[in-house]
Each structure stands twice: as C-alpha cells, then as structure tokens.
Amino acid sequence: MNIPVDYETLRLIWWLFLGILLIGFAIMDGFDLGAATLLRTVARTDNERRQVLNAIGPVWEGNQVWLILGGGAIFAAWPAVYATAFSGFYIAMFLVLATLILRPVGFEYRNKIADPRWRASWDWALFAGGLVPSLVFGVAIGNLLQGVPFRIDNDMRVLYEGSGLFELLNPFGLLCGLVSLAMLTGHGAVFVALKTEGPVADRARVAGALFPGLHVLLFTLAGLWIAKGLPGYALVGAVAHDGPSNPLVKEVAIVPGQWLKNYEAWPLLKAAPIAGLAGSVLTAVLVVVKRPGFAFVTSAIAIFGTISTVGVSMFPFLMPSSIAPGASLTVWDSSSSQLTLFVMLCATLLFLPIVLAYTAFVFRVLRGKMTAEAIEANSTHLY
C-alpha cells in the first residue's frame, strides 16, 4: 500500500497528538479533579457542597473521554510505551483507577440518603477521587524524567526491575506530584468560582489565587532541580527516524543538564515553560479581580505550558530506562507500524472534531451558575 505520509512525519504527528490528548485530559478533567479536591474546603455545608457537585456533575463523565482517548492513543500508537508503563506503574495505576471509580459511585449515591454521616463519607470518597489521581499523575511524570528501571531482552520482552509503589514516591517524584496537584486544584478552584455564587465562590476565589501561586513556586523549584542536579538522556550517534521500531538498535548516554538541551537548540521552545509560569500568575491576578472566565482560560494556558515543558524537554524520549539506557523508548523506535499510524490518523481527523463539537455544545447548554436557590428548589433531582 502506498502511504502518502512518510514514517518520520507520522511519528512526529502522533507524538503531538499524544501531547494534545494529555493536555486535553488535564484541562477538561482537571477542573473536576480539582473541584473534588477542594470539596470539603470551599464548601462547608451540605447545600454548599451540592453546589460544587452540581457544577461539575453534568460534565465530569463526558470529560473522561479525554482519559480514554489518551490511553487508547498510547495503546495503539506507542504499544511498547503502553506495555512498559502499565507493568512498571501497575500499582500506581490501580490506585488511580480505584479512586476514579469512587467518583461515579459518589455522585450517584451521595444524595440517596439524607443522613449527614452518609453524605460526609461520600464527600471524603470524592475528595480522594480528586486528590489521588492529581498527585499520582505528577509523580509518574517525575519518575519518567528520572528514568524508569526496566530493560528489554532479545525477545523484546519488557522486564521491570523496580521495587513497587514506594520507589516511585522519591523526593523529585513527589515534587512533581505536588506541581500537578497545585496546578489542577487551582484549575478546579477557578471553575468553581466561575460556576457558583455566594460563600462558595468567595472561598473558591481564595483558593484560585493561592494554588496558582503555589504552582509557580513548585514548578520553578522543579525546573531548578532539573537544571542543577537531574541528569537527562541523549541519543548517541545517528538515528534512523524512519527505521524499525526496535529500541535495542541505538546507544543512549546519561548526561547532566540534557533535559535543557532542546531549549538551547530551539530557543522558541522556551515559550512552553514561560506559558506555564505566566498562565498561573495571570490566573491568580484575574481571580483576585473577579474575572473567573478569563482566569479559566489562563489556567488552561498554564496547564498547556506545564505539560508541554515536559514533552519538549524529553523529546525524543518517551520513557527512558535508568538501568539499561540503550533500551529507552523514543519517538523513533517504539511506535506502531507506518500503516497503523496512518489509519489511526485518518480516524482521528474524522472523530476528534466531533468530540470537540459535542463538548462545546454541552458546555454551551449547561452554561450559567449553580446557586443555592437552585439546589433548594430541586433538592431531589440534583446531585
């Protein structure tokens, strides 16, 4: 079959698509996670907590599409990355899925019984369903930047040699987890401030100024850690960008400061970390002056910049190996076949606009604020 797009270009396109899907998940589902994390902080009474839950309740399930798309893209376009990540981070992924399962159950069952203890229990479950994924996703990114302890044998079997979940909870991994938690919690606070009124919105504005500021501090600290003490990975010699997907046919060196080299080679890439920092600063300012709509946009820019910073810093690496650097997975040697990538590209160009259009339609239909009066008037028909 004559494929009209060359292999190298397809690999680059799918690297970009993977980034877009991860950013889309962080922006769209991130405010759900952040709002759930803040549930017991910005809302003090049952009525106030129902305001928060009904602000995100109609849209959170649709936002999960981005998580499914991201996982599906990794599985289909980067099967070696999928296999290695889900074996190496198995317990962490199980923990994330277990807490994510608490969300639909919490939404559906919290309002079934009026007992305060019943509802408080589900409030804590929803809190865990917001905090744990926000933290663990960042911890996973921190461990990717350090390298994952796996090797690949001659039969292309992945052998993970890590010691489990607690190995992932190292100082730099936890720092990156806190960066993610601050970023998504701030994003959720801005959304709550945008969609509610009264005391809930007032407390959300305080959180919407605090957490973006915390994100700036932690993101800067992580950048300094990378610049001063965290080595990166570099390809040695020429690499065939359109070669076979075999990670064992290259050489890799561990080099201090390597994760900053792409910014030296392409200075325009510095726009990514600048967007991450400037977006959070503007978010805090806009929340203080009570412009939550614009603040939501700048918060999304901060998320875009933060995740893009990781992607462009590591490029072309997707999952470096700390114990067998030559087995590291890169854009050039861990993808599916050229035909598979092309067929997936055609399907994505067809269906992704539909997802975007439907999402825009839903948010337009559900525009407006969730007020205390609306909760009282519909006590049995809302979350």
Side-chain angles (χ1 to χ4, degrees):
M1 178 179 179
N2 184 23
I3 301 175
V5 186
D6 65 81
Y7 205 3
E8 177 183 359
T9 301
L10 283 170
R11 283 168 163 167
L12 282 173
I13 289 172
W14 274 101
W15 175 77
L16 289 171
F17 268 144
L18 177 59
I20 290 170
L21 292 173
L22 293 178
I23 291 168
F25 167 70
I27 292 174
M28 299 305 300
D29 206 34
F31 68 76
D32 296 340
L33 297 174
T37 303
L38 290 170
L39 179 62
R40 297 186 61 85
T41 304
V42 301
R44 308 289 172 79
T45 67
D46 182 65
N47 187 285
E48 290 178 350
R49 287 173 184 161
R50 293 188 69 206
Q51 277 184 262
V52 175
L53 293 177
N54 282 281
I56 62 175
V59 297
W60 77 267
E61 203 164 12
N63 292 339
Q64 293 290 103
V65 169
W66 292 93
L67 177 62
I68 297 169
L69 288 174
I74 297 174
F75 174 79
W78 311 101
V81 176
Y82 182 91
T84 307
F86 277 78
S87 59
F89 298 157
Y90 180 81
I91 297 177
M93 294 292 185
F94 182 84
L95 182 62
V96 167
L97 290 176
T99 52
L100 286 177
I101 288 170
L102 292 175
R103 293 207 294 171
V105 180
F107 276 113
E108 293 300 325
Y109 283 94
R110 183 189 185 278
N111 199 39
K112 299 297 184 183
I113 300 176
D115 182 6
R117 291 176 297 179
W118 169 268
R119 293 187 173 181
S121 298
W122 288 116
D123 290 342
W124 282 112
L126 289 166
F127 164 76
L131 183 143
V132 173
S134 300
L135 182 68
V136 172
F137 288 141
V139 169
I141 294 297
N143 280 273
L144 284 180
L145 286 164
Q146 296 175 91
V148 181
F150 72 92
R151 65 177 73 250
I152 300 175
D153 66 16
N154 292 329
D155 295 322
M156 300 303 294
R157 293 178 300 183
V158 176
L159 306 173
Y160 181 78
E161 299 185 6
S163 57
L165 177 63
F166 291 104
E167 183 182 29
L168 302 178
L169 302 179
N170 52 73
F172 184 75
L174 288 172
L175 174 60
C176 291
L178 293 176
V179 171
S180 173
L181 180 61
M183 178 178 72
L184 298 183
T185 304
H187 195 50
V190 172
F191 185 80
V192 173
L194 176 65
K195 294 289 289 183
T196 62
E197 294 179 343
V200 175
D202 292 338
R203 298 186 196 109
R205 279 192 289 270
V206 174
L210 173 64
F211 283 99
L214 187 59
H215 170 251
V216 170
L217 176 64
L218 294 171
F219 187 45
T220 302
L221 181 58
L224 292 174
W225 192 323
I226 290 173
K228 301 298 183 181
L230 191 71
Y233 292 72
L235 294 173
V236 178
V239 176
H241 295 175
D242 58 352
S245 288
N246 184 351
L248 301 181
V249 296
K250 65 178 181 304
E251 292 185 37
V252 175
I254 300 177
V255 182
Q258 181 60 36
W259 290 147
L260 302 180
K261 296 297 183 182
N262 284 340
Y263 300 104
E264 296 176 6
W266 297 284
L268 287 177
L269 294 179
K270 294 177 183 178
I274 290 173
L277 294 171
S280 283
V281 171
L282 288 172
T283 299
V285 173
L286 289 167
V287 167
V288 170
V289 299
K290 297 184 179 181
R291 302 300 297 270
F294 289 109
F296 188 80
V297 173
T298 56
S299 179
I301 291 172
I303 292 173
F304 172 84
T306 301
I307 297 177
S308 296
T309 297
V310 177
V312 300
S313 297
M314 293 182 62
F315 184 84
F317 287 88
L318 297 172
M319 181 172 284
S321 171
S322 59
I323 60 174
S328 298
L329 305 177
T330 75
V331 172
W332 313 126
D333 59 23
S334 59
S335 73
S336 294
S337 68
Q338 184 178 3
L339 177 60
T340 299
L341 295 182
F342 178 71
V343 171
M344 288 174 54
L345 175 61
C346 295
T348 301
L349 293 177
L350 174 64
F351 289 107
L352 186 58
I354 297 175
V355 173
L356 294 173
Y358 174 75
T359 301
F361 172 76
V362 169
F363 275 85
R364 178 172 176 78
V365 170
L366 297 173
R367 66 190 183 278
K369 294 181 180 292
M370 180 56 60
T371 64
E373 292 76 14
I375 295 294
E376 292 173 355
N378 298 276
S379 60
T380 59
H381 299 289
L382 297 175
Y383 293 108

